[in-house]
Amino acid sequence: MFDVWNEKSPRWWAVVPLRVIVGYGFVAHGVAKWMAGPEKFGKLLHVIGTPAPGAAAWAVMLLEIIGGLAIIAGVFVEIVSIPLIVSMVVAMLTIHIHYGYSSIHTIGLTATGPVFGPPGYEINLLYIAALAAVALVGSGPLSLDRWLIHRIRSGR
């Protein structure tokens, strides 16, 4: 029987691809907001009634980029998961919940392929579950947290 908390267990490594994929997802969404211009995301936030939508747009964009990089690097994952989970819950309850569960809604078909509608809250739940798992299990091997812990314990 393998113990997930044992560093010699193969299960200990399961958190690494989860961390990288989830972190990359946040970075990709944050960079997309950056490239489109945070003011465009701010307009969406204004439409849904977010207070200080311009500042909120910058905060969410930076949270996604910096938080995603922290998750990928495996540094402070327990701490950075909290605001990332909060942002997913807010997005789910203010936008995605209106479109149902499924993250993919085919609303039509053209000669070039399917046409997709707005996504439901499925993807939000997957991000929340993945972040919760990473936060509860810890950053695992190949992480900056592990490196820092070993460095501190060895007195360097």
Side-chain angles (χ1 to χ4, degrees):
M1 181 79 130
F2 291 113
D3 177 10
V4 72
W5 305 107
N6 180 345
E7 291 183 24
K8 296 187 191 298
S9 167
R11 291 182 183 187
W12 181 244
W13 288 86
V15 73
V16 175
L18 188 60
R19 226 182 55 222
V20 172
I21 292 166
V22 168
Y24 177 81
F26 277 107
V27 171
H29 286 278
V31 168
K33 287 175 181 71
W34 179 285
M35 299 303 285
E39 60 280 349
K40 285 188 180 180
F41 182 53
K43 287 179 184 176
L44 168 80
L45 295 177
H46 174 73
V47 168
I48 64 170
T50 303
W58 275 93
V60 170
M61 179 193 67
L62 292 172
L63 170 64
E64 289 176 344
I65 294 169
I66 295 167
L69 289 171
I71 296 290
I72 291 169
V75 63
F76 307 122
V77 295
E78 295 87 353
I79 296 167
V80 79
S81 291
I82 295 167
L84 288 170
I85 288 172
V86 169
S87 74
M88 286 291 97
V89 169
V90 170
M92 179 175 70
L93 295 177
T94 58
I95 298 171
H96 301 284
I97 200 138
H98 304 292
Y99 303 111
Y101 175 75
S102 183
S103 64
I104 299 175
H105 293 282
T106 306
I107 59 173
L109 186 60
T110 67
T112 58
V115 176
F116 298 106
Y121 58 90
E122 175 183 12
I123 200 76
N124 301 94
L125 292 176
L126 289 169
Y127 271 104
I128 291 166
L131 286 167
V134 169
L136 291 171
V137 172
S139 56
L142 296 178
S143 67
L144 198 50
D145 276 347
R146 277 335 252 161
W147 180 79
L148 290 170
I149 288 168
H150 287 300
R151 189 167 170 94
I152 290 167
R153 285 184 183 162
S154 67
R156 292 188 228 165

